[in-house]
């Protein structure tokens, strides 16, 4: 019996999220279908994050067990060929790809052994809307004050009860206390010179829609609708309605899953 850990990237635009759903195309469902064909036995995978429809991943992790003979390196090649359309054509890629596959110990579990995650949220901050960026960015047309956003972000870093940043409808959690190890506001330019404001956030865990609500709150700070110091009061108040709007899914990327605590907490 093999226990395989996958590292996966995907464009979430045409997926109904990660978790398998009847009659809907999901990342988990597609991977299980392809891996079952390649391994010639039923495969069920366990992912670290149940990303929503439209959310992307640069480094989602998932594990599965099975009694199959195909070598792990060949499994990756065969699965990616099928995910790209099965044409054995170089240069062809679909919207879902396995980046790495490695054999782990029998007791390893991709979700339960994870120490934390890193998300990136990308905002295209330009006065004119960009049609070809609509599935990759949250487009904010008014200028964002990134200094104010950084001042607000400083109140989020640390261990807090983040109930104010939790949306209704998610899985019930035993506690809403989480630790955010870093929250950086990074400015950069596209090749065409367009302004991008990216939030890079690392933590030991995230509540339902937490990153998107943090982003919406910081955007409102950047637009002058909220004061940077108000974020501390919002966290202390634990009221969802006091925080900002929920930013759309298109700008959100699951960047990395950490299994080494030291790597997670380093800055």
């Amino acid at each position: 019996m093999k226990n395989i850990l996958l590292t996966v990237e995907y464009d979430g635009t045409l997926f109904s999220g990660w978790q398998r759903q009847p009659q809907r195309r999901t990342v988990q469902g597609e991977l299980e279908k392809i891996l079952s064909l390649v391994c010639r036995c039923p495969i069920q995978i366990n992912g670290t994050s149940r990303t929503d429809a439209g959310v992307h991943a640069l480094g989602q992790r998932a594990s599965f067990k099975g009694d199959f003979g195909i070598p792990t390196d060949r499994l990756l090649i065969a699965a990616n060929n099928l995910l790209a359309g099965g044409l054995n054509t170089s240069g062809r890629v679909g919207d879902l790809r396995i980046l790495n596959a490695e054999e782990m110990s029998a007791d390893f579990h991709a979700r339960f052994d994870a120490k934390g995650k890193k998300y990136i949220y990308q905002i295209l901050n330009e006065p004119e809307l960009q049609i070809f960026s609509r599935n990759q960015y949250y487009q904010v047309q008014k200028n964002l004050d990134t200094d104010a956003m950084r001042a607000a972000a400083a109140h989020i870093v640390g261990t807090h009860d983040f109930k104010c940043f939790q949306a209704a409808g998610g899985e019930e959690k035993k506690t809403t206390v989480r630790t955010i190890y870093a929250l950086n506001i990074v400015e950069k330019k596209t090749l065409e010179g367009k302004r991008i404001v990216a939030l890079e956030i690392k933590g030991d865990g995230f509540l339902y829609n937490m990153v998107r609500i943090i982003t919406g709150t910081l955007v409102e700070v950047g637009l002058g609708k909220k004061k940077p110091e108000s974020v501390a009061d919002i966290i202390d108040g634990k009221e969802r309605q006091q925080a900002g709007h929920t930013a759309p899914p298109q700008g959100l990327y699951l960047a990395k899953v950490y299994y080494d605590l030291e790597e997670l907490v380093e800055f």
Side-chain angles (χ1 to χ4, degrees), residues 6-255:
L6 303 176
T7 305
V8 182
E9 66 177 0
Y10 48 87
D11 177 339
T13 303
L14 299 180
F15 289 103
S16 295
W18 165 267
Q19 191 171 9
R20 78 174 77 87
Q21 302 174 51
Q23 309 304 318
R24 289 184 177 272
R25 184 173 184 257
T26 67
V27 180
Q28 183 182 25
E30 286 294 296
L31 283 173
E32 290 180 343
K33 179 177 68 176
I34 294 301
L35 291 169
S36 296
L37 288 172
V38 171
C39 297
R40 299 185 180 181
C41 64
I43 296 295
Q44 290 190 345
I45 62 176
N46 298 291
T48 58
S49 180
R50 297 176 180 177
T51 53
D52 289 336
V55 175
H56 314 294
L58 307 173
Q60 169 75 287
R61 308 298 284 274
S63 59
F64 68 93
K65 293 182 177 180
D67 188 7
F68 47 86
I70 183 171
T72 304
D73 59 339
R74 295 301 303 170
L75 180 151
L76 184 149
I77 294 170
N80 278 335
N81 178 51
L82 292 175
L83 288 168
L87 300 178
N88 286 310
T89 303
S90 62
R92 181 182 175 90
V93 63
D95 55 3
L96 168 59
R97 187 164 71 107
I98 301 172
L99 297 173
N100 188 54
E102 56 184 307
E103 193 163 350
M104 308 296 288
S105 61
D107 61 349
F108 177 84
H109 191 285
R111 180 183 176 190
F112 299 137
D113 287 340
K115 306 300 183 189
K117 304 167 192 170
K118 175 181 179 180
Y119 285 93
I120 296 173
Y121 195 100
Q122 297 211 101
I123 300 166
L124 185 62
N125 191 206
E126 286 289 322
E128 295 294 329
L129 296 173
Q130 310 294 314
I131 187 170
F132 295 110
S133 298
R134 69 190 187 281
N135 293 323
Q136 287 75 40
Y137 300 93
Y138 176 19
Q139 299 195 48
V140 176
Q141 293 174 271
K142 293 183 179 179
N143 187 66
L144 290 171
D145 181 345
T146 51
D147 287 337
M149 293 172 71
R150 290 187 184 99
H155 295 289
I156 297 172
V157 176
T159 301
H160 306 283
D161 185 335
F162 286 113
K163 187 176 181 180
C164 66
F165 295 139
Q166 177 179 247
E171 179 184 342
E172 188 70 25
K173 301 293 185 181
K174 292 181 180 179
T175 176
T176 50
V177 174
R178 297 291 186 272
T179 298
I180 298 301
Y181 294 105
L183 175 49
N184 299 318
I185 311 296
V186 180
E187 294 185 68
K188 50 190 176 180
K189 297 284 188 180
T190 67
L191 292 175
E192 298 79 19
K194 307 296 184 183
R195 185 192 192 209
I196 296 173
V197 176
L199 282 69
E200 299 179 353
I201 183 168
K202 291 201 303 184
D204 63 356
F206 295 89
L207 304 168
Y208 183 52
N209 279 350
M210 180 172 167
V211 177
R212 290 168 59 188
I213 298 171
I214 287 174
T215 299
T217 303
L218 294 183
V219 165
E220 292 184 18
V221 171
L223 293 174
K225 296 180 179 180
K226 294 185 186 300
K227 298 290 186 182
E229 58 271 20
S230 72
V231 172
D233 295 330
I234 290 169
I235 294 171
D236 290 341
K238 303 177 186 177
E239 298 286 344
R240 169 65 189 94
Q241 60 266 32
Q242 297 302 313
H245 64 281
T246 303
Q250 292 86 352
L252 183 59
Y253 297 75
L254 172 58

